[in-house]
Amino acid sequence: MAHALLPCPTLRRPQDIDFADFTLPTLSDSLLEAGQEAQFGRGWSLIRGVPVWRYSRQQQLAAYWILGLHWGRAVPQNARGHLIGHIKDIGHDPKNPLTRLYATNAAQPWHNDGPADLVSLLCLSDAEEGGDSGWSSSISVHNEILRRAPHLAALLAGPWFFDRKTEVPEGKKPFFEIPVFNYHKGYLSVNYSDNYYHLSQRHAEVPKLTAEHHEAMRLFNELASGPELSLRMVLRAGDVQLLSNHTCLHYRGAFRDSPAHTRHLLRLWLSPPNDRPLPECYAEIMAGSVVPGKRGGIIIQGATPNIPEEAE
């Protein structure tokens, strides 16, 4: 979809806007189609032309919230309860293993954002240099590993331990177990983020990664980044990406900002009411539920869902 123009949103708290507050007779059908394509088609959609340059920050947030309402329920993205996240370098140390890399200018390796069915980004502005986005089919990566190294495919379908990076729900351990390859009711769902597997090694209860685990991650990353299974582009102002977390991986290249060009994107994690069934092990990463429309997010006791106007 290209050149999608939204009406200028009214100045209200974005999270207070629902479908009863607006009508988009020439756009809603296309937005719903983009969501279906991400969920049940190729795994991603790209929308261009959201006129963010003529909106205030509150209007940008409201416009993006309206887009997201077509795709599912927004869920919190961190321990502070942010329903819309800001993807921007705010000086956090990328060498600190507990840092979530979206707050840095470092490259992000191939991964999916586990705690949601869909992940979306709206670009407000791009960097002076770098910051390319990459997408890859996690289903095709699975199929190629199964063809080349079936013993590694079997390993990836077994126990892997995922670190919570200090965002620990009440009563939970700081890590949990979830396979990379998950087969359930006729669906293959892939959950992968190798830096979280490495970080989980700091916990004495977590089994040590073996040479085969490292071999599996090397092959997975090699296939995901190869030109046969991936594509790359730089998101420009007004571009929106929408990806399935279960079938699509993404990556972000390192970037350099300048006073005139600061990379800044907004992010939504979304839970559609009609997404695929997931096995019970996903309850750990999906805030305790695998019920479509009621799952997803990082839910921490005492955190009130909110939408900040700036990165924090």
Side-chain angles (χ1 to χ4, degrees):
M1 184 195 307
H3 308 298
L5 298 180
L6 283 170
C8 182
T10 57
L11 287 177
R12 298 173 54 187
R13 288 200 324 167
Q15 60 266 45
D16 294 334
I17 300 172
D18 60 31
F19 271 115
D21 297 315
F22 65 89
T23 58
L24 301 177
T26 62
L27 185 57
S28 281
D29 285 349
S30 295
L31 293 173
L32 292 169
E33 182 181 340
Q36 291 294 296
E37 188 63 46
Q39 284 182 263
F40 305 114
R42 65 190 166 211
W44 60 271
S45 290
L46 176 65
I47 298 167
R48 287 187 152 158
V50 179
V52 295
W53 47 87
R54 73 183 191 205
Y55 292 165
S56 69
R57 177 55 44 79
Q58 270 292 89
Q59 290 171 333
Q60 291 170 342
L61 293 167
Y64 192 34
W65 183 264
I66 287 169
L67 294 180
L69 287 174
H70 291 79
W71 302 323
R73 177 180 62 90
V75 298
Q77 300 177 26
N78 54 35
R80 296 183 295 280
H82 293 170
L83 295 174
I84 295 180
H86 293 261
I87 310 303
K88 186 179 182 181
D89 178 20
I90 54 175
H92 289 191
D93 181 6
K95 295 180 181 179
N96 182 340
L98 297 180
T99 294
R100 290 183 65 182
L101 291 174
Y102 67 77
T104 76
N105 65 352
Q108 287 187 277
W110 290 98
H111 67 287
N112 59 276
D113 289 1
D117 295 305
L118 295 174
V119 59
S120 172
L121 294 173
L122 166 61
C123 182
L124 302 182
S125 55
D126 56 352
E128 178 70 34
E129 181 180 10
D132 56 314
S133 295
W135 309 332
S136 185
S137 167
S138 56
I139 305 303
S140 295
V141 170
H142 162 274
N143 293 344
E144 191 61 19
I145 292 176
L146 190 61
R147 186 183 72 83
R148 293 191 189 189
H151 67 293
L152 296 181
L155 180 69
L156 289 160
W160 287 72
F161 291 86
F162 205 94
D163 196 278
R164 295 187 191 271
K165 285 199 172 182
T166 74
E167 297 178 316
V168 184
E170 186 178 18
K172 294 291 186 178
K173 294 182 178 182
F175 62 89
F176 59 89
E177 179 184 330
I178 185 172
V180 177
F181 296 154
N182 297 273
Y183 310 96
H184 183 66
K185 294 187 176 180
Y187 290 90
L188 166 63
S189 300
V190 179
N191 186 79
Y192 182 81
S193 192
D194 59 0
N195 60 336
Y196 284 78
Y197 306 137
H198 289 295
L199 187 57
S200 74
Q201 296 292 283
R202 66 198 176 107
H203 305 293
E205 296 174 68
V206 173
K208 297 304 178 187
L209 294 167
T210 67
E212 277 201 333
H213 284 98
H214 290 287
E215 181 186 1
M217 287 186 283
R218 282 194 298 270
L219 180 57
F220 192 105
N221 292 332
E222 174 189 331
L223 292 170
S225 63
E228 298 86 0
L229 302 185
S230 67
L231 56 88
R232 304 182 191 214
M233 63 173 292
V234 175
L235 295 174
R236 304 297 186 189
D239 288 353
V240 181
Q241 75 168 32
L242 182 65
L243 308 177
S244 167
N245 269 326
H246 307 310
T247 67
C248 197
L249 305 155
H250 55 279
Y251 129 103
R252 198 266 315 279
F255 63 91
R256 178 177 64 83
D257 284 335
S258 72
H261 294 279
T262 297
R263 190 178 191 271
H264 190 174
L265 292 85
L266 303 178
R267 182 174 67 184
L268 281 167
W269 283 354
L270 298 156
S271 177
N274 62 338
D275 213 284
R276 63 178 53 206
L278 293 173
E280 193 59 35
C281 63
Y282 268 81
E284 285 288 353
I285 202 169
M286 286 289 194
S289 175
V290 294
V291 178
K294 298 181 179 180
R295 63 197 186 198
I298 296 173
I299 310 297
I300 304 297
Q301 186 181 29
T304 301
N306 67 96
I307 298 177
E309 291 194 10
E310 300 295 339
E312 13 177 279

